[in-house]
Amino acid sequence: MERVLVTGGAGFIGSHLCDRLINEGCDVICLDNYFTGNKNNVRHLLGNDRFELVRHDVTTPYYAEVDKIFNLACPASPVNYQYNPIKTLKTSIYGALNMLGLAKRVKAKILHASTSEVYGDPSVHPQVESYWGNVNPIGVRSCYDEGKRAAETLCMDYHRQHKIRIKLIRIFNTYGPRMDRNDGRVVSNFIVQALTGKDITIYGNGSQTRSFQFIDDLIEGMMRMMQTGEDYT
């Protein structure tokens, strides 16, 4: 039985990942400080012997014997990550450092959840992996964009220097059950406006493009990514 640590596990994405891991027969430690996560998202798992919920902030070290780590901890919507930008930056950088340090100590494989925001305000559509982005390092969104970019750098350096088994994913717009209706994202805004009988707001001139994925598809992708071999990061 694999022991798996999920940081940010009480969040929208993290809670669905915990569901999947429990269904796969794993022992799961769910770490969350409830800044944007919510205990109600994982309440249905609290009676399960293979599920443990821990209130903890990843900016401080955490110690556990685990086989795999999914590092999802970080506020992900502009409303939340701009509320306390310094804290957001600390969560991305210190959180990655602490989880990579744990992975090094216990020889765990670690998947880090990065973001499409590492491309900044991209001048290439759609973004391909060879595109390095168009990022403003001093703007109001920089706490999130630059924090996630720094975390990717840390992952790669731990991989190169310490042979840590890392998996990096860049998550684009995801929707599904347990989304926060007030997080300011496109899909949640559309749904809330539709349910409340309001006009649906289209920003700009209507020519913008987005890629959307349902939460189950993201979780499937994360699971498959974690299962890839040592030669693929």
Side-chain angles (χ1 to χ4, degrees):
M1 183 183 298
E2 286 189 325
R3 296 161 296 178
V4 184
L5 174 65
V6 180
T7 72
F12 162 47
I13 294 173
S15 62
H16 285 277
L17 178 60
C18 288
D19 284 343
R20 174 66 180 267
L21 291 166
I22 290 292
N23 289 338
E24 297 270 333
C26 299
D27 260 342
V28 176
I29 301 174
C30 170
L31 227 62
D32 210 294
N33 68 351
Y34 305 132
F35 176 60
T36 56
N38 193 310
K39 190 181 292 187
N40 288 329
N41 288 336
V42 292
R43 191 174 297 279
H44 61 287
L45 295 174
L46 294 180
N48 193 306
D49 290 340
R50 289 185 283 108
F51 181 78
E52 180 180 356
L53 179 61
V54 179
R55 184 168 192 154
H56 184 84
D57 192 314
V58 294
T59 59
T60 59
Y62 181 77
Y63 302 97
E65 298 296 322
V66 294
D67 303 299
K68 293 179 178 177
I69 301 167
F70 288 84
N71 185 35
L72 278 61
C74 189
S77 72
V79 172
N80 291 318
Y81 65 63
Q82 290 175 6
Y83 174 76
N84 189 338
I86 295 174
K87 176 69 171 177
T88 297
L89 198 58
K90 285 181 175 180
T91 300
S92 286
I93 296 175
Y94 293 167
L97 274 171
N98 288 328
M99 289 305 114
L100 287 162
L102 175 60
K104 179 184 175 184
R105 281 190 294 274
V106 300
K107 296 180 171 56
K109 183 187 289 188
I110 179 170
L111 181 144
H112 176 71
S114 190
T115 170
S116 60
E117 298 299 328
V118 298
Y119 301 108
D121 185 12
S123 56
V124 172
H125 297 278
Q127 290 82 57
V128 293
E129 295 312 302
S130 58
Y131 178 63
W132 291 347
N134 178 37
V135 177
N136 174 8
I138 58 173
V140 294
R141 299 171 67 99
S142 304
C143 58
Y144 186 67
D145 302 2
E146 293 294 274
K148 287 291 189 179
R149 284 165 68 94
E152 286 196 16
T153 301
L154 285 166
C155 287
M156 289 304 302
D157 285 339
Y158 265 80
H159 173 63
R160 285 185 285 253
Q161 187 169 339
H162 300 297
K163 311 304 180 187
I164 303 302
R165 296 173 296 160
I166 68 157
K167 305 294 173 183
L168 279 174
I169 63 170
R170 293 174 179 164
I171 300 175
F172 282 67
N173 296 282
T174 308
Y175 68 95
R178 303 177 199 155
M179 289 182 74
D180 180 357
R181 62 182 292 156
N182 297 314
D183 71 1
R185 296 170 191 258
V186 175
V187 173
S188 54
N189 284 350
F190 283 179
I191 292 172
V192 170
Q193 287 175 326
L195 289 174
T196 55
K198 296 178 180 177
D199 291 338
I200 292 176
T201 304
I202 304 294
Y203 294 95
N205 61 11
S207 65
Q208 292 181 351
T209 61
R210 290 288 188 277
S211 59
F212 297 107
Q213 61 181 338
F214 188 62
I215 183 64
D216 291 356
D217 296 319
L218 171 60
I219 299 304
E220 178 67 23
M222 294 173 75
M223 296 293 290
R224 292 191 190 192
M225 182 63 169
M226 185 61 105
Q227 292 163 3
T228 56
E230 306 308 308
D231 59 337
Y232 192 78
T233 60

